Amino acid sequence: MIRAISLAIAFPLLLAGCAFFMQDRIHYTFDPQTDAPCTDCLPATDGSDLVGIALSGGGSRASVFGAAALEILAEEGMLQRATYLSSVSGGGFPAAYYSLNKPEDFTAFKQMMRFDFLGSMTYRQVQKPNRITSPTRRLSSLQDVLDTQFIGGATFGDLPQTPVLLINGARYDDARRFVFANAPIPEEESDLRQFTEPTLRTASFSLPGCTRATPADFPVALAVAISAGFPPLLGPASIQTTETCAGADPAYWHLGDGGILDNSGVETIEDYALRAKLDGEAASRLVVFSIDAGRSTAPEEMMSQRNLKLWTSDPGRVVELVNQRAKAYRDVAIERMANEAGIEIVIIKMRYVDAELETWPASCAKRKGKHDTIKTAIANVPTNLRISDCDADLIEAAADDVVRRALQENRGLIDSLK
């Protein structure tokens, strides 16, 4: 009896010990000497305006909102017109799906964005107990689910050239935004003022003197999982590399949730567009459709609450707070940079909380009496990697309302795109 009790206690301890004392996983090894750098390899244009679409973070709420918004933009021809498709966290799910599949019928696309990614990921962690207590290994569970459901093991070499897919992460080592992309961005300094400070420059697989895109064999599912890797639950991912083109001692990049630095995905499009070549000169105009499903809470609402349980009930608010201050600095820097480059930047914002709906979806019949208004119900859709049918129907309806109104309000601008 005592032996049985001892084994019952010892087994989980040994299991946990194995998980706690295992080294963090190296998710990818990058050798700069195996991939030849390119020269003058930023995406060129034919003299027309640059169009970007940015899909924000926000878990499955962002995935559902992003897919529904892309369908409407496709109806208007704007999705096919886009040069850049940028994504953060949950927005990376529809961005990757569209880039790999280019669907004409969005029915299956939108249904996939409702999948219970959290439940499937948790099941994989139970099957592989060493992942349970290791955030870096739990990230692999999300990568597995994404591959199984719709990415199918695709790599960056499988992506089409257009639109340029930008998947945003954060490099925890030096507070730089890290972008996975099928088009390179130079690492060297620029005459544009924003890029003279290393922390403000976009980090990527480019190293000083070697400009390159994300390696062709890098898994798309890993990039999306990294972008959604909200600490401390998931990640960071570890990439082993060197800090020079010629090789040196090993260095490690620790990458995670891109929403920490910019949850909208807009800044990366601005970054790329300001460096893009247009007959030897910068583009004259950039129009960005910002599909924003990020959490937004009015200051007075937060100040009216006696207990603010950020980590236990709404961790997304932490990202929101960081982003508010970062955005203020970013707007000043981008405006100055755009003036110096001679490019007009127009952001068309489409936010899920701005929806004006009058009718509840049929799937929300049991919830009508639990909220004062439909608007309150939409605002309370949680940030998670699973979503109920009612919440998903609300978010899709919100996208239909918000995106169509924004397109109508900006019809003149859209018609003037060349």
Side-chain angles (χ1 to χ4, degrees), residues 100-242:
L100 290 167
N101 297 288
K102 295 288 182 68
E104 295 183 4
D105 182 354
F106 279 67
T107 304
F109 181 4
K110 292 190 295 183
Q111 188 61 39
M112 176 52 64
M113 295 302 104
R114 296 171 175 233
F115 181 75
D116 183 1
F117 293 98
L118 178 63
S120 187
M121 182 179 70
T122 303
Y123 177 70
R124 278 166 171 74
Q125 290 170 186
V126 171
Q127 288 181 310
K128 299 184 177 182
N130 66 318
R131 292 182 178 181
I132 295 176
T133 54
S134 172
T136 64
R137 294 174 183 272
R138 284 201 296 269
L139 192 75
S140 297
S141 294
L142 179 55
Q143 179 185 350
D144 291 346
V145 173
L146 292 168
D147 265 330
T148 300
Q149 293 306 312
F150 66 89
I151 294 181
T155 66
F156 273 76
D158 298 319
L159 291 169
Q161 292 185 332
T162 56
V164 176
L165 178 61
L166 309 170
I167 300 176
N168 293 276
R171 196 159 77 181
Y172 296 159
D173 312 291
D174 53 8
R176 291 177 65 183
R177 185 173 65 256
F178 190 97
V179 62
F180 301 92
N182 53 336
I185 189 167
E187 169 66 13
E188 64 268 14
E189 292 186 7
S190 166
D191 292 335
L192 297 175
R193 190 173 305 177
Q194 185 203 24
F195 303 116
T196 58
E197 291 293 333
T199 302
L200 295 178
R201 297 203 305 270
T202 297
S204 68
F205 281 91
S206 291
L207 297 175
C210 327
T211 300
R212 54 170 56 85
T214 298
D217 66 343
F218 194 92
V220 174
L222 178 56
V224 175
I226 288 172
S227 182
F230 188 76
L233 300 177
L234 295 174
S238 296
I239 295 180
Q240 181 175 329
T241 184
T242 61

Side-chain angles (χ1 to χ4, degrees), residues 214-403:
T214 298
D217 66 343
F218 194 92
V220 174
L222 178 56
V224 175
I226 288 172
S227 182
F230 188 76
L233 300 177
L234 295 174
S238 296
I239 295 180
Q240 181 175 329
T241 184
T242 61
E243 289 294 341
T244 69
C245 302
D249 293 334
Y252 301 93
W253 297 335
H254 303 98
L255 310 176
D257 185 9
I260 294 174
L261 300 178
D262 173 26
N263 198 46
S264 72
V266 171
E267 184 181 349
T268 300
I269 295 178
E270 294 171 323
D271 196 334
Y272 268 73
L274 284 162
R275 293 169 179 261
K277 302 296 181 181
L278 198 154
D279 294 334
E281 299 179 359
S284 60
R285 183 166 63 169
L286 166 67
V287 177
V288 180
F289 296 94
S290 176
I291 313 301
D292 191 353
R295 173 68 71 191
S296 179
T297 308
E300 55 270 20
E301 179 181 339
M302 297 182 70
M303 294 171 69
S304 68
Q305 296 183 36
R306 177 174 179 177
N307 296 316
L308 195 63
K309 301 177 180 179
L310 292 178
W311 288 114
T312 56
S313 60
D314 196 0
R317 285 190 183 178
V318 178
V319 174
E320 178 191 356
L321 295 174
V322 173
N323 270 255
Q324 286 182 4
R325 186 170 180 85
K327 183 178 183 301
Y329 283 102
R330 183 170 65 250
D331 287 347
V332 172
I334 291 293
E335 181 179 359
R336 179 180 298 175
M337 179 174 58
N339 289 337
E340 292 176 1
I343 180 172
E344 177 188 5
I345 298 178
V346 181
I347 311 297
I348 299 177
K349 298 181 180 179
M350 307 172 184
R351 305 186 67 248
Y352 81 107
V353 291
D354 293 335
E356 299 175 0
L357 305 182
E358 297 180 356
T359 305
W360 286 86
S363 58
C364 296
K366 295 181 179 180
R367 295 178 54 186
K368 290 182 181 179
K370 297 183 179 180
H371 298 281
D372 295 332
T373 64
I374 299 177
K375 198 173 188 68
T376 301
I378 293 173
N380 288 333
V381 175
T383 303
N384 205 336
L385 289 179
R386 64 157 54 111
I387 190 168
S388 69
D389 286 338
C390 171
D391 284 342
D393 288 341
L394 283 170
I395 291 299
E396 284 191 4
D400 188 77
D401 173 69
V402 170
V403 176

